[in-house]
Amino acid sequence: MDQKVDIKHYELFIDGRHVAPTTGEYTIDLDPATEEPIAEVAQGGVADVDRAVSVARAALKVWGGLRAAERGRILQRAAALLEQNQEELIEIESLDAGKPLAAVRRQDMAAVIDTLRYYAGWCDKITGQVIPARPDALTYTVREPVGVVAAIVPWNFPLMIGMWKIAPALACGCTVVVKPAELTPLSMLRVAELFLEAGLPAGVLNVVCGKGSVVGEALVRHPGVDKVTFTGSPKVGRTIMQGAAANFKKVTLELGGKSANLIFADANLDRAVRAAASGIFFNAGQVCSAGSRVLVQRPVYDEVVRRLVDRARAIRVGDPRDPSTTMGPVISAGQMKTVLDYIDIGRAEGASLVAGGARIGREGYFVEPTVFADVAHDMRISQEEIFGPVLSVIPFDDEADALRMANGTPYSLAAGVWSADISRVHRVAAALKAGTVWINTYGYTDVRLPWGGSGESGLGREHGDAALENFTQPKAVWLALEA
Ligand code: NAD
């Protein structure tokens, strides 16, 4: 059979073993670049979630029973194994998510290993405090693991976002049940095997694939789960908060964005335009912090639009395996339809379509890098997250006008500001409603810096020591000192 890859069969991963789902159901996983089947993947059900959660609860004692430094060594070994096997992981991720191989190597995989190493280093540095309260008592705090963590992951960065959750949870002494996105389960299943090989005790990290409405929902409502960490859409985030209320689980939500990139007339336009283009076209725009709105001061508006159009047209869209490809397909037929529908909406709203606007070819979910000019702030394409390679370019008059529009959506994940005026960039950074502000750059993330937003962009922060708060809780201890 003339197929690039054999169809592989994947089971769930529970208690250190591959197990068939109790549902008996499997789905076919497609390559978004060719629409060809690449794998057959087990679909878990409620009974599988029950099993994974009870295994993870039992494993809390085992994992928490190890010395902190030993836990750190196991996570370091896992990082080394991931690194040794990175070419395989890069290929799996590229194939499953339609991402250019080069981008997965440079960005996703590098961040995965860096994240794991960073949190491995935290294992033996999570401390409490001695807090003097009374002369007749020794009063101190310890930070305890929250317990069993459900990590619910989206399809745009399956491994990287998965690791943002798994690594700090494990470092804090928690055990984990991961629910990968339906469309991209493969890399996490392989990573769970590598963790086991590195010496992670069975049951500490489990992977239950399946539908969000079945496996995700069961995890969120499960009384044996103590914490849900979720990245995905605001709609599902809301459902998760409601479900988690049943037994007052801790919840962290990383949701959507409609991030603005503000280009003032005195900016270095070469750099600003290059970053603005990659800010929207990287990962085919399927990035929560995509700079999907570029706000440009009127004196340079026409020039910036012209240069953005040139950049959009120069992007090489195609086979993710081809090293010259800079943009792959979007993830699915459904996502492609959503993106194309938004392009129709933009046209109907009266924005000027100046680049792209159509599907490419008839096989694979490829959409042209698309730029709309003359976008008004209240148009749907300027207000709603498209999650595809579609840029809205909006003119502004002055700083106040730019800030009004930049802050004028329900999102607050990230924003960028471009200007040579040092006072202005600090003033604007302070006034922007965003969890991350990039000044004269765009798009960087690093596990050492907090990441997240508020409103429709989520609740809480991941990364850095902020994530340690997500997976631990303090206990106050009083010891009487009287003789
Ligand atoms: P989604 O919300 O549809 O799905 C995310 C995950 O939730 C999947 O694993 C899905 O199976 C699961 N899920 C679905 N319904 C569920 C339910 N009722 N209960 C529990 N789990 C359920 O999102 P998506 O389409 O996979 O990803 C795209 C969205 O993710 C975008 O809105 C994007 O902005 C957001 N995102 C945010 C960040 C961030 O860091 N803030 C990063 C990446 C993606």
Side-chain angles (χ1 to χ4, degrees), residues 152-157 161 164 179-182 210-218 220 230-237 239-240 253-257 286-289 335 385 387 413 451-452 457 462:
I152 304 178
V153 179
W155 43 257
N156 56 343
F157 294 91
I161 292 178
W164 287 358
K179 208 242 31 105
E182 291 90 320
K211 286 202 178 104
S213 56
V214 178
V215 173
E217 186 101 23
V220 167
F230 169 79
T231 298
S233 59
K235 181 165 161 263
V236 174
T239 316
I240 286 180
L253 305 173
E254 302 290 348
L255 308 175
Q286 304 166 119
V287 182
C288 48
S289 53
Q335 190 62 20
E385 184 178 49
F387 224 57
L413 189 60
W451 180 250
S457 291
E462 297 194 284

Side-chain angles (χ1 to χ4, degrees), residues 53 146-153 165 169 174-179 215-232 236-237 239-255 459-462 470-471:
V53 172
V146 288
V148 174
V149 171
I152 304 178
V153 179
K165 303 181 184 315
C174 297
T175 59
V176 183
V177 180
V178 186
K179 208 242 31 105
V215 173
E217 186 101 23
L219 280 168
V220 167
R221 296 194 169 271
H222 204 293
V225 171
D226 303 288
K227 155 90 192 174
V228 181
T229 169
F230 169 79
T231 298
V236 174
T239 316
I240 286 180
M241 249 188 121
Q242 284 158 352
N247 69 334
F248 302 104
K249 290 180 178 68
K250 277 172 80 112
V251 175
T252 308
L253 305 173
E254 302 290 348
L255 308 175
L459 189 70
R461 294 289 184 272
E462 297 194 284
N470 297 336
F471 299 108

Side-chain angles (χ1 to χ4, degrees), residues 95-169:
L95 184 68
D96 205 10
K99 290 160 171 281
L101 272 175
V104 182
R105 184 173 294 113
R106 193 181 59 243
Q107 218 271 334
D108 305 46
M109 201 61 218
V112 164
I113 293 166
D114 184 43
T115 300
L116 186 50
R117 289 227 158 94
Y118 172 80
Y119 283 110
W122 266 113
C123 286
D124 55 2
K125 297 172 193 70
I126 299 169
T127 56
Q129 289 174 295
V130 176
I131 305 171
R134 300 168 57 107
D136 58 353
L138 171 63
T139 40
Y140 62 93
T141 62
V142 286
R143 293 208 73 90
E144 297 185 329
V146 288
V148 174
V149 171
I152 304 178
V153 179
W155 43 257
N156 56 343
F157 294 91
L159 207 48
M160 185 181 83
I161 292 178
M163 194 57 74
W164 287 358
K165 303 181 184 315
I166 294 168

Side-chain angles (χ1 to χ4, degrees), residues 5-197:
V5 183
D6 291 335
I7 296 208
K8 286 197 182 159
H9 186 82
Y10 288 81
E11 304 288 11
L12 310 177
F13 192 84
I14 301 175
D15 204 12
R17 278 189 293 273
H18 300 280
V19 295
T22 53
T23 58
E25 287 169 20
Y26 292 81
T27 55
I28 299 295
D29 191 36
L30 300 181
D31 173 355
T34 60
E35 302 180 43
E36 281 175 19
I38 50 174
E40 184 182 47
V41 183
Q43 295 295 288
V46 174
D48 300 300
V49 169
D50 285 343
R51 166 117 199 274
V53 172
S54 85
V55 159
R57 283 222 82 75
L60 276 172
K61 264 217 165 89
V62 182
W63 188 230
L66 297 180
R67 285 186 306 113
E70 179 57 17
R71 287 204 304 269
R73 263 195 295 276
I74 292 172
L75 297 190
Q76 289 289 7
R77 270 203 298 275
L81 270 181
L82 260 61
E83 199 161 34
Q84 276 165 32
N85 290 276
Q86 66 175 310
E87 285 310 313
E88 179 197 352
L89 290 168
I90 289 164
E91 271 179 34
I92 294 174
E93 195 78 326
S94 164
L95 184 68
D96 205 10
K99 290 160 171 281
L101 272 175
V104 182
R105 184 173 294 113
R106 193 181 59 243
Q107 218 271 334
D108 305 46
M109 201 61 218
V112 164
I113 293 166
D114 184 43
T115 300
L116 186 50
R117 289 227 158 94
Y118 172 80
Y119 283 110
W122 266 113
C123 286
D124 55 2
K125 297 172 193 70
I126 299 169
T127 56
Q129 289 174 295
V130 176
I131 305 171
R134 300 168 57 107
D136 58 353
L138 171 63
T139 40
Y140 62 93
T141 62
V142 286
R143 293 208 73 90
E144 297 185 329
V146 288
V148 174
V149 171
I152 304 178
V153 179
W155 43 257
N156 56 343
F157 294 91
L159 207 48
M160 185 181 83
I161 292 178
M163 194 57 74
W164 287 358
K165 303 181 184 315
I166 294 168
L170 295 179
C172 291
C174 297
T175 59
V176 183
V177 180
V178 186
K179 208 242 31 105
E182 291 90 320
L183 296 167
T184 54
L186 306 186
S187 53
M188 189 56 71
L189 287 165
R190 179 67 182 123
V191 160
E193 291 175 348
L194 292 170
F195 267 96
L196 189 75
E197 201 181 320

Side-chain angles (χ1 to χ4, degrees), residues 143-403:
R143 293 208 73 90
E144 297 185 329
V146 288
V148 174
V149 171
I152 304 178
V153 179
W155 43 257
N156 56 343
F157 294 91
L159 207 48
M160 185 181 83
I161 292 178
M163 194 57 74
W164 287 358
K165 303 181 184 315
I166 294 168
L170 295 179
C172 291
C174 297
T175 59
V176 183
V177 180
V178 186
K179 208 242 31 105
E182 291 90 320
L183 296 167
T184 54
L186 306 186
S187 53
M188 189 56 71
L189 287 165
R190 179 67 182 123
V191 160
E193 291 175 348
L194 292 170
F195 267 96
L196 189 75
E197 201 181 320
L200 192 75
V204 174
L205 176 62
N206 307 278
V207 184
V208 182
C209 309
K211 286 202 178 104
S213 56
V214 178
V215 173
E217 186 101 23
L219 280 168
V220 167
R221 296 194 169 271
H222 204 293
V225 171
D226 303 288
K227 155 90 192 174
V228 181
T229 169
F230 169 79
T231 298
S233 59
K235 181 165 161 263
V236 174
R238 194 167 284 114
T239 316
I240 286 180
M241 249 188 121
Q242 284 158 352
N247 69 334
F248 302 104
K249 290 180 178 68
K250 277 172 80 112
V251 175
T252 308
L253 305 173
E254 302 290 348
L255 308 175
K258 193 72 191 176
S259 299
N261 223 329
L262 279 53
I263 303 180
F264 284 87
D266 63 350
N268 176 329
L269 292 190
D270 288 343
R271 289 169 54 96
V273 169
R274 192 177 341 124
S278 65
I280 181 65
F281 299 126
F282 171 64
N283 211 42
Q286 304 166 119
V287 182
C288 48
S289 53
S292 50
R293 295 182 295 153
V294 172
L295 275 52
V296 189
Q297 206 164 14
R298 284 196 196 276
V300 292
Y301 183 80
D302 289 341
E303 183 176 356
V304 168
V305 168
R306 188 174 48 71
R307 292 199 199 186
L308 283 166
V309 168
D310 289 347
R311 290 233 158 230
R313 293 195 177 134
I315 286 171
R316 298 179 70 109
V317 185
D319 180 359
R321 263 75 69 186
D322 181 338
S324 66
T325 293
T326 48
M327 194 177 107
V330 297
I331 188 71
S332 64
Q335 190 62 20
M336 183 171 69
K337 180 174 182 318
T338 302
V339 173
L340 294 173
D341 284 352
Y342 267 111
I343 292 170
D344 287 343
I345 289 167
R347 279 202 189 94
E349 285 180 310
S352 315
L353 181 66
V354 288
R359 180 179 184 181
I360 303 173
R362 294 164 68 178
E363 229 174 46
Y365 312 122
F366 295 95
V367 179
E368 288 177 324
T370 298
V371 180
F372 277 108
D374 307 317
V375 176
H377 173 60
D378 55 0
M379 288 180 184
R380 286 185 62 193
I381 56 166
S382 166
Q383 287 291 317
E384 298 174 18
E385 184 178 49
I386 299 174
F387 224 57
V390 182
L391 178 64
S392 292
V393 196
I394 305 166
F396 72 81
D397 294 312
D398 56 23
E399 206 173 296
D401 191 27
L403 281 169

